[in-house]
Amino acid sequence: MNKSLLILTGHSKGLGRAILDTYLQKDEFEILAISRTKLGLDNPNLTEISIDFGELDVLENELSGLFPSGDFEEIILINNAGWIGEIKPVGSLQVKKMRTQVNVNLLTPIYMTNAFVSAYRDSKARKIICNISSGAASKPVEGWSGYCSTKAAIAMFTKVAAKENNDSLFRFFSVAPGIVDTQMQEEIRHTDELDFPQVERFKSYKENGDLSTPELVAAKISYLLGHENEFQDVIQDVRNFDLP
Ligand SMILES: NC(=O)c1ccc[n+]([C@@H]2O[C@H](COP(=O)([O-])OP(=O)(O)OC[C@H]3O[C@@H](n4cnc5c(N)ncnc54)[C@H](OP(=O)(O)O)[C@@H]3O)[C@@H](O)[C@H]2O)c1
């Protein structure tokens, strides 16, 4: 059986954990998973690395040795790790938290994408980069200035990389996962209305069962990446298609 490789960030919980579980069921995939927390799962196809993406020097030092070589049929990078950040209006944000958020949401996926393209440029494998963005990339939300702007920036970075690699074996996607029932949503619901005027709306999403399960969204992302020829645009939203 030909081997494939998945490199996944933010695998320890939420959407990333569901993506991990989806790909663990595909025997052909070797998986390299990076978060701060290691799950300690006993699976020969899984290698876990602990890195805090908030501290960029650590990632910078590890980056050159991070990407396994091998005769892979397909290589996928999913930059999923993300942080909603400090939910407060501009003028009340703490410098250190702003830096952490930019490091996690923007500089980490930029570093990873750049190093991935460099590492696998000459590989004959099918290569896909999937950066997890958000609907908030194209919609200003009060209290989420850092989140909206880092997600907008990673979407544009992905579009530029796609344009540069138009004739190559690389495909690039910036994917909005919809509103997903994870710890991030829990954090959002626990915000003060003064800092986040839409908090009641987000509470009602949970109460009304409007949140997607991480499992459904992971299955859709896996479908998208497995049938990339059906998806021509770089910018994708999983809410725009159903599983067959
Ligand atoms: N949930 C939603 O409704 C929603 C909507 C739109 C977009 N998204 C995006 O979807 C992605 C997944 O979100 P989620 O809802 O699953 O969030 P989550 O439940 O909070 O999980 C975030 C993941 O990112 C990792 N991570 C966070 N900070 C990190 C750091 N400093 N260093 C290394 N890893 C870090 C976490 O691992 P550790 O804590 O172990 O480090 C965890 O595995 C994010 O990019 C998010 O922006 C989510």
Side-chain angles (χ1 to χ4, degrees), residues 184-214:
M184 182 179 283
Q185 284 296 325
E186 208 176 310
E187 230 176 284
I188 290 167
R189 288 192 298 273
H190 281 93
T191 318
D192 193 313
E193 197 169 6
L194 287 174
D195 295 324
F196 180 47
Q198 291 195 44
V199 68
E200 287 306 322
R201 172 126 73 100
F202 277 75
K203 284 180 186 167
S204 74
Y205 289 151
K206 175 73 172 170
E207 283 156 16
N208 300 337
D210 291 338
L211 301 177
S212 302
T213 65

Side-chain angles (χ1 to χ4, degrees), residues 10 12-13 15 36-37 52-53 80 147 151 178 180 182 185:
S12 65
K13 56 179 180 259
L15 176 58
R36 283 169 301 190
T37 316
D52 183 350
F53 295 135
N80 164 76
Y147 188 71
K151 291 297 186 182
V180 197
T182 66
Q185 284 296 325

Side-chain angles (χ1 to χ4, degrees), residues 110-158:
I110 284 183
Y111 280 15
M112 292 288 288
T113 303
N114 181 58
F116 181 91
V117 172
S118 169
Y120 297 124
R121 192 174 275 130
D122 297 329
S123 160
K124 296 282 175 277
R126 209 164 45 245
K127 295 161 291 201
I128 307 179
I129 291 106
C130 172
N131 291 325
I132 302 296
S133 181
S134 168
S138 52
K139 208 168 33 184
V141 181
E142 292 132 299
W144 291 12
S145 54
Y147 188 71
C148 293
S149 55
T150 50
K151 291 297 186 182
I154 193 59
M156 179 53 84
F157 175 86
T158 312

Side-chain angles (χ1 to χ4, degrees), residues 9-19 34-39 49-55 79-84 100-101 103-105 108 131-136 144 147 150-151 154 175-188 202 211-212 214 217 221 239:
T9 70
H11 73 295
S12 65
K13 56 179 180 259
L15 176 58
R17 175 65 204 260
I19 295 172
I34 315 168
S35 298
R36 283 169 301 190
T37 316
K38 285 189 190 180
L39 295 169
I49 300 181
S50 172
I51 299 181
D52 183 350
F53 295 135
E55 303 294 330
N79 283 308
N80 164 76
W83 184 38
I84 189 68
T100 301
Q101 182 172 46
N103 288 352
V104 175
N105 289 5
T108 292
N131 291 325
I132 302 296
S133 181
S134 168
W144 291 12
Y147 188 71
T150 50
K151 291 297 186 182
I154 193 59
V175 177
I179 306 177
V180 197
D181 197 358
T182 66
Q183 196 171 306
M184 182 179 283
Q185 284 296 325
E186 208 176 310
E187 230 176 284
I188 290 167
F202 277 75
L211 301 177
S212 302
V217 177
I221 289 171
R239 287 169 292 193

